[in-house]
Amino acid sequence: MKETYIPTVYLVIPCYNEEEVLPETVKRLTEKLQKMQQAGLAGEKSRMLFVDDGSKDRTWTLISAFSDQNPLVCGLKLAHNRGHQNALLAGLMEAKARADCAISLDADLQDDIEVLDEFVQKFREGCDVVYGVRKKRETDSFFKRTTAQGFYRVMRLLGVETVYNHADYRLMSQRALDALSEYREVNLFLRGIVPLIGYRSDYVFYDRHERFAGESKYPLKKMISFALDGITSFSVKPLKIISNLGILLSVLSVGGLIYALISYFTGNAVAGWTATISSIWLLGGIQLLCIGVVGGYVGKIYSEVKARPRYRIEQKVGEEELEQPK
């Protein structure tokens, strides 16, 4: 690409109950986007696109108010809470028709916005996808750091292609967004889908900041659910592990049966209540675990075959209501 090329850049920010951080977020992003426009890194039609994922607080009220005051602010309101990944997808698909590239980031601005320039520079050099990757995890608690690193290792062992220490801070070109729109699964795990697109990509490394207000929208329960969604959406290895476990237990059972018969016929059999009960509990627990894993995959299939809409947009604001739906 030529150095004189000035792309239209959309910043896509999913929001859920973010009224505490929104005023500061809009202020900082406005200043940053204006600097990028002045530096020739973002065109005059570049915008911030906030996606309200069915918030229960004043998030949408604030987005609407900011769009009236600030021409750089646009917004989408989803009709129902559909989760972070669906809200992010809704924003990216809306930006696809208007932007040369879109950069997704969280509303709490823990992701360093000063590296946005580097994202755009790499896009101008020909990259369709640019991943924001954390340099280190010193700001995380020991538990969160350990579990996050374990998550990436497990995903790699299960054959899922992900970018280590990357969340959803990334740039995607219009061509990459077009490719993303062809992935129709209901159970979204964008961190696994985007690497499958396969276009030229690069990385931008940054330090993650502390959240300056509000609470994390990913408590332990949601983190575990998100990790399981990622694993079951992209790998069938857990099912293969169950099969191998079944074979192993079958072999051990045959061995135990032979041992029991030998003991019986040689007169060495001793009635053992503890051993019997322990084996029943062990095998019962393993069976329930295996049924649970299989059930997780069946549930995924059930969601996919219904093919319900992943989100529904209730309202738009800014940029003349994003030119209205076609």
Side-chain angles (χ1 to χ4, degrees), residues 247-317:
I247 294 172
L248 175 62
L249 289 175
S250 298
V251 172
L252 292 177
S253 298
V254 172
L257 177 61
I258 294 173
Y259 174 77
L261 290 173
I262 292 175
S263 298
Y264 175 78
F265 287 114
T266 57
N268 295 322
V270 177
W273 180 86
T274 302
T276 302
I277 294 300
S278 298
S279 62
I280 290 174
W281 278 98
L282 175 63
L283 292 175
I286 292 174
Q287 288 171 343
L288 288 174
L289 175 63
C290 295
I291 291 171
V293 174
V294 174
Y297 280 95
V298 173
K300 283 286 192 301
I301 296 170
Y302 179 61
S303 297
E304 294 292 341
V305 297
K306 286 188 295 185
R308 291 177 178 174
R310 291 177 287 192
Y311 57 84
R312 190 170 297 281
I313 297 173
E314 179 179 338
Q315 191 176 347
K316 303 180 181 182
V317 294

Side-chain angles (χ1 to χ4, degrees), residues 3-176:
E3 285 298 313
T4 55
Y5 173 64
I6 303 178
T8 296
V9 181
Y10 265 58
L11 305 180
V12 179
I13 308 107
C15 304
Y16 180 69
N17 294 344
E18 299 287 7
E19 65 175 351
E20 293 183 70
V21 303
L22 266 179
E24 185 66 19
T25 299
V26 172
K27 176 186 174 184
R28 294 190 191 183
L29 286 178
T30 297
E31 293 173 353
K32 181 59 182 176
L33 193 53
Q34 288 174 339
K35 289 180 181 178
M36 293 173 67
Q37 289 175 327
Q38 293 167 3
L41 291 171
E44 61 179 15
K45 292 186 178 181
S46 298
R47 296 290 183 268
M48 295 173 280
L49 179 57
F50 293 88
V51 183
D52 178 24
D53 183 26
S55 298
K56 299 176 182 178
D57 61 3
R58 298 176 57 250
T59 295
W60 180 247
T61 301
L62 290 174
I63 293 173
S64 300
F66 284 125
S67 70
D68 292 335
Q69 305 162 9
N70 187 340
L72 295 179
V73 176
C74 301
L76 299 179
K77 184 181 190 302
L78 301 190
H80 189 266
N81 175 249
R82 298 297 299 150
H84 178 272
Q85 297 290 281
N86 283 302
L88 178 53
L89 181 70
L92 292 174
M93 293 301 98
E94 191 69 30
K96 176 170 67 74
R98 299 170 176 80
D100 297 309
C101 62
I103 303 175
S104 56
L105 65 161
D106 291 335
D108 55 24
L109 294 190
Q110 287 185 279
D111 299 322
D112 184 11
I113 63 174
E114 295 306 317
V115 300
L116 288 172
D117 297 2
E118 297 181 43
F119 277 96
V120 177
Q121 289 286 13
K122 290 185 180 294
F123 168 71
R124 289 168 61 168
E125 292 169 5
C127 293
D128 285 288
V129 181
V130 183
Y131 300 99
V133 178
R134 296 177 62 172
K135 294 179 182 177
K136 50 187 180 296
R137 286 186 169 267
E138 293 179 354
T139 57
D140 289 347
S141 64
F142 173 78
F143 176 78
K144 187 171 183 179
R145 180 169 60 252
T146 303
T147 53
Q149 291 173 343
F151 166 73
Y152 288 111
R153 293 190 180 100
V154 169
M155 294 292 278
R156 191 181 303 116
L157 286 173
L158 294 177
V160 183
E161 183 181 356
T162 57
V163 177
Y164 188 72
N165 272 346
H166 163 71
D168 287 298
Y169 192 22
R170 72 176 74 86
L171 175 148
M172 298 184 71
S173 69
Q174 189 180 61
R175 183 169 74 145

